[in-house]
Amino acid sequence: MALMDLPTETLLQILYALTSVPDVLALTLTSRRLYSLLSLPAHRLQILFSAASRSIGPLQPAIFLVTHTTSQPSHLRRPYPPHSLTLLQQLLAVGAVANAWADIFPFMHWRGPHSAYRRFLTPDEREKVRGAVYRTWEYDLAFHNDACLRTQRNIPYSVSARAAFVRQWPSAQLREMASLQRIFRCVLECHVVPSNAVARAQFKERYGGGGDEAQQPEVLLVGGEALYSIRLHHQQQQFGAKHPHCTQYIHSATALAGRWNKAAAAQEVYQGWGDEVTHYYLIEDVLKLHPKQILQLFRRAVGEEEPVLRGFKGGGEQQRYGNGHGNGAVETFLAGMGEWFYNNGETMAETIACVLEDRGEEDVEGGGGGIVGDEDG
């Protein structure tokens, strides 16, 4: 039996069973009858939101995120807005970011000695990641902004406001948020703003630290951005590919000698974003960025295109990030955050720890629980 010969009720059940909004739109464009079914006011929004709940759910924290406002206390929940195409478009925008983090999560969670355990996340685990992204993002909008200064972070009113906002979620979801923040920290430490030691280790791991010194390329990381000097001309093509932690610009040894002294150009120089102490406080500052901003910086750091973000990033944000892998992209973006951003570490981790302690539960520092549990390394 042809698909179009099925009764209307069966076709509606097929539309309701689809798992993503693009699938719904693609199917309804195959025939006038299916398109007319989607155009019915009684079914259009229900079908689209049903598909969205499967692909970007849970929708409840996503709706709270896109309807967030500073006109009332953050812990007071607003009633659900009526379903509309505008609301659906906003949900799909934040859902694209959440699904991107669900893709990144297994690569950052199972690293090094635990890489043998690496696997794809199950649908339930992906939903946990998306929910953690939405809740973390809403917390960032509420408490990581220019209204929350360093001098105010420990006053009783600010502490109680943050705690009241976090207490609305059960402990399991708080552990999921803590697990996601560890992924953010790993991405920042390894790719976006690596320390001196990490930059040195990553370069030697990729290009090797042994062999003839004359055959080794030079790398100079200035302010977190890398410039390469290739001593042998025939090696330029070999090392000229985009490095996942560096920019795309390649300079000859002659050009480098004009900018740095010959002693610096004659040896390998590794410099990241500071030593361990300086880098720790930098990471605490950068963790105030919301998931979309961290994802943007990560994509630029590894040299990937960003089709998932191209559809919904605003013009102002595009200008702040700059174009491509230009030198100083990270510094330019962080400088645009304003004075409040510096020496003002994130507060979500300590707030979650305090709330769990008040509930008489174990702290999250050990990494227990969370999105994938302990059994997977």
Side-chain angles (χ1 to χ4, degrees):
M1 178 181 293
L3 182 63
M4 293 301 99
D5 294 336
L6 296 174
T8 301
E9 292 78 6
T10 304
L11 293 178
L12 286 174
Q13 290 181 3
I14 294 175
L15 291 176
Y16 275 107
L18 296 178
T19 57
S20 70
V21 174
D23 290 345
V24 173
L25 299 179
L27 181 60
T28 54
L29 290 176
T30 59
S31 73
R32 292 180 180 272
R33 185 182 178 193
L34 289 173
Y35 186 82
S36 63
L37 290 178
L38 185 64
S39 301
L40 294 174
H43 296 285
R44 178 176 53 192
L45 291 178
Q46 288 80 352
I47 292 174
L48 293 175
F49 273 85
S50 175
S53 66
R54 295 184 177 92
S55 60
I56 62 171
L59 290 186
Q60 180 182 17
I63 292 176
F64 288 152
L65 169 62
V66 300
T67 59
H68 175 81
T69 178
T70 58
S71 61
Q72 67 182 53
S74 301
H75 65 280
L76 297 180
R77 287 309 184 189
R78 299 162 299 281
Y80 273 145
H83 286 181
S84 65
L85 294 179
T86 301
L87 176 62
L88 179 63
Q89 186 177 17
Q90 294 175 329
L91 293 176
L92 292 177
V94 298
V97 177
N99 275 321
W101 281 113
D103 295 334
I104 296 171
F105 188 94
F107 294 95
M108 294 293 105
H109 181 74
W110 291 292
R111 301 175 63 251
H114 302 297
S115 59
Y117 298 98
R118 187 177 298 156
R119 58 174 174 79
F120 290 111
L121 298 182
T122 65
D124 289 341
E125 290 169 345
R126 290 182 64 88
E127 185 174 356
K128 290 181 180 179
V129 173
R130 293 193 296 264
V133 169
Y134 301 145
R135 290 186 291 271
T136 301
W137 198 337
E138 188 182 5
Y139 183 95
D140 292 333
L141 294 179
F143 301 107
H144 291 160
N145 52 56
D146 55 3
C148 300
L149 304 178
R150 180 183 181 184
T151 55
Q152 302 174 349
R153 57 186 295 154
N154 290 326
I155 62 177
Y157 173 78
S158 298
V159 175
S160 61
R162 295 195 302 264
F165 183 78
V166 171
R167 285 194 182 99
Q168 63 185 316
W169 297 309
S171 300
Q173 294 179 353
L174 296 183
R175 296 183 185 279
E176 293 166 6
M177 294 169 62
S179 180
L180 178 68
Q181 191 183 60
R182 286 192 289 271
I183 300 301
F184 291 165
R185 185 181 295 272
C186 179
V187 166
L188 294 173
E189 290 177 348
C190 297
H191 298 281
V192 180
V193 286
S195 65
N196 295 346
V198 171
R200 185 183 304 112
Q202 288 176 343
F203 181 82
K204 289 188 174 181
E205 179 182 359
R206 183 172 179 85
Y207 296 110
D212 185 6
E213 183 179 354
Q215 302 294 323
Q216 298 297 322
E218 293 176 359
V219 59
L220 292 95
L221 282 81
V222 181
E225 300 290 347
L227 302 176
Y228 279 102
S229 170
I230 309 303
R231 290 179 180 155
L232 300 181
H233 179 72
H234 69 273
Q235 288 182 325
Q236 290 187 1
Q237 184 175 4
Q238 176 183 358
F239 293 99
K242 292 181 182 179
H243 188 275
H245 313 293
C246 306
T247 65
Q248 63 185 7
Y249 299 104
I250 299 177
H251 298 260
S252 65
T254 304
L256 277 180
R259 297 185 60 180
W260 294 280
N261 56 51
K262 294 182 179 180
Q267 61 181 348
E268 296 175 1
V269 181
Y270 306 96
Q271 182 177 359
W273 289 74
D275 55 19
E276 292 183 1
V277 176
T278 304
H279 186 252
Y280 169 80
Y281 289 105
L282 172 65
I283 292 295
E284 291 298 306
D285 287 344
V286 180
L287 277 174
K288 295 195 300 293
L289 299 178
H290 59 64
K292 176 183 171 182
Q293 294 170 325
I294 298 177
L295 178 63
Q296 182 92 36
L297 294 177
F298 172 69
R299 290 280 176 87
R300 292 188 178 278
V302 300
E304 293 182 5
E305 294 295 331
E306 306 163 74
V308 70
L309 298 176
R310 194 170 297 145
F312 60 89
K313 59 187 177 186
E317 195 162 335
Q318 171 76 10
Q319 183 178 2
R320 287 171 68 184
Y321 278 109
N323 296 318
H325 295 263
N327 274 343
V330 178
E331 294 95 325
T332 302
F333 174 73
L334 296 182
M337 298 301 296
E339 292 295 331
W340 71 272
F341 191 80
Y342 297 98
N343 297 320
N344 185 16
E346 63 88 22
T347 57
M348 191 182 74
E350 63 179 348
T351 304
I352 291 177
C354 291
V355 171
L356 291 179
E357 183 179 358
D358 290 343
R359 294 175 179 176
E361 301 187 20
E362 194 174 327
D363 195 1
V364 297
E365 288 297 328
I371 293 174
V372 296
D374 297 324
E375 68 277 3
D376 297 305

